[in-house]
mmCIF file with all atom_site columns, all heavy atoms in Angstrom:
data_model
loop_
_atom_site.group_PDB
_atom_site.id
_atom_site.type_symbol
_atom_site.label_atom_id
_atom_site.label_alt_id
_atom_site.label_comp_id
_atom_site.label_asym_id
_atom_site.label_entity_id
_atom_site.label_seq_id
_atom_site.pdbx_PDB_ins_code
_atom_site.Cartn_x
_atom_site.Cartn_y
_atom_site.Cartn_z
_atom_site.occupancy
_atom_site.B_iso_or_equiv
_atom_site.pdbx_formal_charge
_atom_site.auth_seq_id
_atom_site.auth_comp_id
_atom_site.auth_asym_id
_atom_site.auth_atom_id
_atom_site.pdbx_PDB_model_num
ATOM 1  N N   . ALA A 1 149 ? 109.596 237.659 110.466 1.00 98.00 ? 646 ALA A N   1
ATOM 2  C CA  . ALA A 1 149 ? 110.753 237.527 109.572 1.00 98.00 ? 646 ALA A CA  1
ATOM 3  C C   . ALA A 1 149 ? 111.849 236.832 110.256 1.00 98.00 ? 646 ALA A C   1
ATOM 4  O O   . ALA A 1 149 ? 112.105 236.991 111.503 1.00 98.00 ? 646 ALA A O   1
ATOM 5  C CB  . ALA A 1 149 ? 111.205 238.837 109.087 1.00 98.00 ? 646 ALA A CB  1
ATOM 6  N N   . VAL A 1 150 ? 112.548 235.920 109.510 1.00 98.00 ? 647 VAL A N   1
ATOM 7  C CA  . VAL A 1 150 ? 113.740 235.279 109.998 1.00 98.00 ? 647 VAL A CA  1
ATOM 8  C C   . VAL A 1 150 ? 114.786 235.445 108.915 1.00 98.00 ? 647 VAL A C   1
ATOM 9  O O   . VAL A 1 150 ? 114.569 235.222 107.696 1.00 98.00 ? 647 VAL A O   1
ATOM 10 C CB  . VAL A 1 150 ? 113.591 233.779 110.262 1.00 98.00 ? 647 VAL A CB  1
ATOM 11 C CG1 . VAL A 1 150 ? 114.866 233.057 110.567 1.00 98.00 ? 647 VAL A CG1 1
ATOM 12 C CG2 . VAL A 1 150 ? 112.478 233.544 111.309 1.00 98.00 ? 647 VAL A CG2 1
ATOM 13 N N   . MET A 1 151 ? 115.988 235.973 109.256 1.00 98.00 ? 648 MET A N   1
ATOM 14 C CA  . MET A 1 151 ? 117.082 236.145 108.396 1.00 98.00 ? 648 MET A CA  1
ATOM 15 C C   . MET A 1 151 ? 118.280 235.235 108.840 1.00 98.00 ? 648 MET A C   1
ATOM 16 O O   . MET A 1 151 ? 118.529 235.258 110.024 1.00 98.00 ? 648 MET A O   1
ATOM 17 C CB  . MET A 1 151 ? 117.504 237.596 108.367 1.00 98.00 ? 648 MET A CB  1
ATOM 18 C CG  . MET A 1 151 ? 118.506 237.921 107.242 1.00 98.00 ? 648 MET A CG  1
ATOM 19 S SD  . MET A 1 151 ? 118.828 239.675 107.102 1.00 98.00 ? 648 MET A SD  1
ATOM 20 C CE  . MET A 1 151 ? 119.321 240.154 108.728 1.00 98.00 ? 648 MET A CE  1
ATOM 21 N N   . ARG A 1 152 ? 118.904 234.577 107.850 1.00 97.00 ? 649 ARG A N   1
ATOM 22 C CA  . ARG A 1 152 ? 119.978 233.628 108.219 1.00 97.00 ? 649 ARG A CA  1
ATOM 23 C C   . ARG A 1 152 ? 121.150 234.051 107.384 1.00 97.00 ? 649 ARG A C   1
ATOM 24 O O   . ARG A 1 152 ? 121.043 234.235 106.162 1.00 97.00 ? 649 ARG A O   1
ATOM 25 C CB  . ARG A 1 152 ? 119.657 232.199 107.978 1.00 97.00 ? 649 ARG A CB  1
ATOM 26 C CG  . ARG A 1 152 ? 118.461 231.655 108.873 1.00 97.00 ? 649 ARG A CG  1
ATOM 27 C CD  . ARG A 1 152 ? 118.251 230.262 108.614 1.00 97.00 ? 649 ARG A CD  1
ATOM 28 N NE  . ARG A 1 152 ? 117.657 229.976 107.302 1.00 97.00 ? 649 ARG A NE  1
ATOM 29 C CZ  . ARG A 1 152 ? 118.026 229.096 106.453 1.00 97.00 ? 649 ARG A CZ  1
ATOM 30 N NH1 . ARG A 1 152 ? 118.962 228.296 106.665 1.00 97.00 ? 649 ARG A NH1 1
ATOM 31 N NH2 . ARG A 1 152 ? 117.396 228.973 105.302 1.00 97.00 ? 649 ARG A NH2 1
ATOM 32 N N   . SER A 1 153 ? 122.382 233.947 107.980 1.00 97.00 ? 650 SER A N   1
ATOM 33 C CA  . SER A 1 153 ? 123.661 234.027 107.173 1.00 97.00 ? 650 SER A CA  1
ATOM 34 C C   . SER A 1 153 ? 123.864 232.720 106.410 1.00 97.00 ? 650 SER A C   1
ATOM 35 O O   . SER A 1 153 ? 123.170 231.696 106.709 1.00 97.00 ? 650 SER A O   1
ATOM 36 C CB  . SER A 1 153 ? 124.816 234.258 108.053 1.00 97.00 ? 650 SER A CB  1
ATOM 37 O OG  . SER A 1 153 ? 125.161 233.230 108.832 1.00 97.00 ? 650 SER A OG  1
ATOM 38 N N   . ALA A 1 154 ? 124.785 232.755 105.415 1.00 97.00 ? 651 ALA A N   1
ATOM 39 C CA  . ALA A 1 154 ? 125.002 231.579 104.623 1.00 97.00 ? 651 ALA A CA  1
ATOM 40 C C   . ALA A 1 154 ? 125.497 230.445 105.489 1.00 97.00 ? 651 ALA A C   1
ATOM 41 O O   . ALA A 1 154 ? 125.371 229.271 105.088 1.00 97.00 ? 651 ALA A O   1
ATOM 42 C CB  . ALA A 1 154 ? 126.010 231.989 103.469 1.00 97.00 ? 651 ALA A CB  1
ATOM 43 N N   . SER A 1 155 ? 126.117 230.738 106.653 1.00 97.00 ? 652 SER A N   1
ATOM 44 C CA  . SER A 1 155 ? 126.718 229.736 107.478 1.00 97.00 ? 652 SER A CA  1
ATOM 45 C C   . SER A 1 155 ? 125.733 229.199 108.558 1.00 97.00 ? 652 SER A C   1
ATOM 46 O O   . SER A 1 155 ? 126.116 228.296 109.294 1.00 97.00 ? 652 SER A O   1
ATOM 47 C CB  . SER A 1 155 ? 128.019 230.271 108.151 1.00 97.00 ? 652 SER A CB  1
ATOM 48 O OG  . SER A 1 155 ? 127.740 231.375 108.922 1.00 97.00 ? 652 SER A OG  1
ATOM 49 N N   . ALA A 1 156 ? 124.598 229.813 108.667 1.00 97.00 ? 653 ALA A N   1
ATOM 50 C CA  . ALA A 1 156 ? 123.635 229.488 109.727 1.00 97.00 ? 653 ALA A CA  1
ATOM 51 C C   . ALA A 1 156 ? 122.967 228.149 109.454 1.00 97.00 ? 653 ALA A C   1
ATOM 52 O O   . ALA A 1 156 ? 122.759 227.689 108.232 1.00 97.00 ? 653 ALA A O   1
ATOM 53 C CB  . ALA A 1 156 ? 122.551 230.482 109.808 1.00 97.00 ? 653 ALA A CB  1
ATOM 54 N N   . LYS A 1 157 ? 122.576 227.393 110.505 1.00 96.00 ? 654 LYS A N   1
ATOM 55 C CA  . LYS A 1 157 ? 121.795 226.237 110.365 1.00 96.00 ? 654 LYS A CA  1
ATOM 56 C C   . LYS A 1 157 ? 120.362 226.549 109.928 1.00 96.00 ? 654 LYS A C   1
ATOM 57 O O   . LYS A 1 157 ? 119.960 227.642 110.165 1.00 96.00 ? 654 LYS A O   1
ATOM 58 C CB  . LYS A 1 157 ? 121.738 225.359 111.658 1.00 96.00 ? 654 LYS A CB  1
ATOM 59 C CG  . LYS A 1 157 ? 123.173 224.850 112.051 1.00 96.00 ? 654 LYS A CG  1
ATOM 60 C CD  . LYS A 1 157 ? 123.036 223.912 113.187 1.00 96.00 ? 654 LYS A CD  1
ATOM 61 C CE  . LYS A 1 157 ? 124.424 223.233 113.448 1.00 96.00 ? 654 LYS A CE  1
ATOM 62 N NZ  . LYS A 1 157 ? 124.356 222.363 114.668 1.00 96.00 ? 654 LYS A NZ  1
ATOM 63 N N   . ASP A 1 158 ? 119.655 225.521 109.360 1.00 96.00 ? 655 ASP A N   1
ATOM 64 C CA  . ASP A 1 158 ? 118.285 225.863 108.915 1.00 96.00 ? 655 ASP A CA  1
ATOM 65 C C   . ASP A 1 158 ? 117.291 226.146 110.036 1.00 96.00 ? 655 ASP A C   1
ATOM 66 O O   . ASP A 1 158 ? 117.290 225.394 111.030 1.00 96.00 ? 655 ASP A O   1
ATOM 67 C CB  . ASP A 1 158 ? 117.698 224.579 108.175 1.00 96.00 ? 655 ASP A CB  1
ATOM 68 C CG  . ASP A 1 158 ? 116.324 224.691 107.766 1.00 96.00 ? 655 ASP A CG  1
ATOM 69 O OD1 . ASP A 1 158 ? 115.997 225.723 107.170 1.00 96.00 ? 655 ASP A OD1 1
ATOM 70 O OD2 . ASP A 1 158 ? 115.521 223.817 108.094 1.00 96.00 ? 655 ASP A OD2 1
ATOM 71 N N   . TYR A 1 159 ? 116.588 227.282 109.990 1.00 96.00 ? 656 TYR A N   1
ATOM 72 C CA  . TYR A 1 159 ? 115.736 227.827 110.942 1.00 96.00 ? 656 TYR A CA  1
ATOM 73 C C   . TYR A 1 159 ? 114.869 228.792 110.230 1.00 96.00 ? 656 TYR A C   1
ATOM 74 O O   . TYR A 1 159 ? 115.339 229.703 109.558 1.00 96.00 ? 656 TYR A O   1
ATOM 75 C CB  . TYR A 1 159 ? 116.566 228.503 112.024 1.00 96.00 ? 656 TYR A CB  1
ATOM 76 C CG  . TYR A 1 159 ? 115.793 229.040 113.121 1.00 96.00 ? 656 TYR A CG  1
ATOM 77 C CD1 . TYR A 1 159 ? 115.614 228.356 114.336 1.00 96.00 ? 656 TYR A CD1 1
ATOM 78 C CD2 . TYR A 1 159 ? 115.215 230.433 113.140 1.00 96.00 ? 656 TYR A CD2 1
ATOM 79 C CE1 . TYR A 1 159 ? 114.908 228.889 115.375 1.00 96.00 ? 656 TYR A CE1 1
ATOM 80 C CE2 . TYR A 1 159 ? 114.530 230.841 114.153 1.00 96.00 ? 656 TYR A CE2 1
ATOM 81 C CZ  . TYR A 1 159 ? 114.357 230.148 115.267 1.00 96.00 ? 656 TYR A CZ  1
ATOM 82 O OH  . TYR A 1 159 ? 113.691 230.662 116.329 1.00 96.00 ? 656 TYR A OH  1
ATOM 83 N N   . SER A 1 160 ? 113.489 228.511 110.234 1.00 97.00 ? 657 SER A N   1
ATOM 84 C CA  . SER A 1 160 ? 112.702 229.259 109.436 1.00 97.00 ? 657 SER A CA  1
ATOM 85 C C   . SER A 1 160 ? 111.544 229.964 110.076 1.00 97.00 ? 657 SER A C   1
ATOM 86 O O   . SER A 1 160 ? 110.938 230.941 109.480 1.00 97.00 ? 657 SER A O   1
ATOM 87 C CB  . SER A 1 160 ? 112.071 228.506 108.215 1.00 97.00 ? 657 SER A CB  1
ATOM 88 O OG  . SER A 1 160 ? 111.321 227.272 108.794 1.00 97.00 ? 657 SER A OG  1
#
Side-chain angles (χ1 to χ4, degrees):
V647 175
M648 186 171 61
R649 294 181 294 133
S650 69
S652 62
K654 292 186 176 181
D655 176 51
Y656 181 94
S657 58

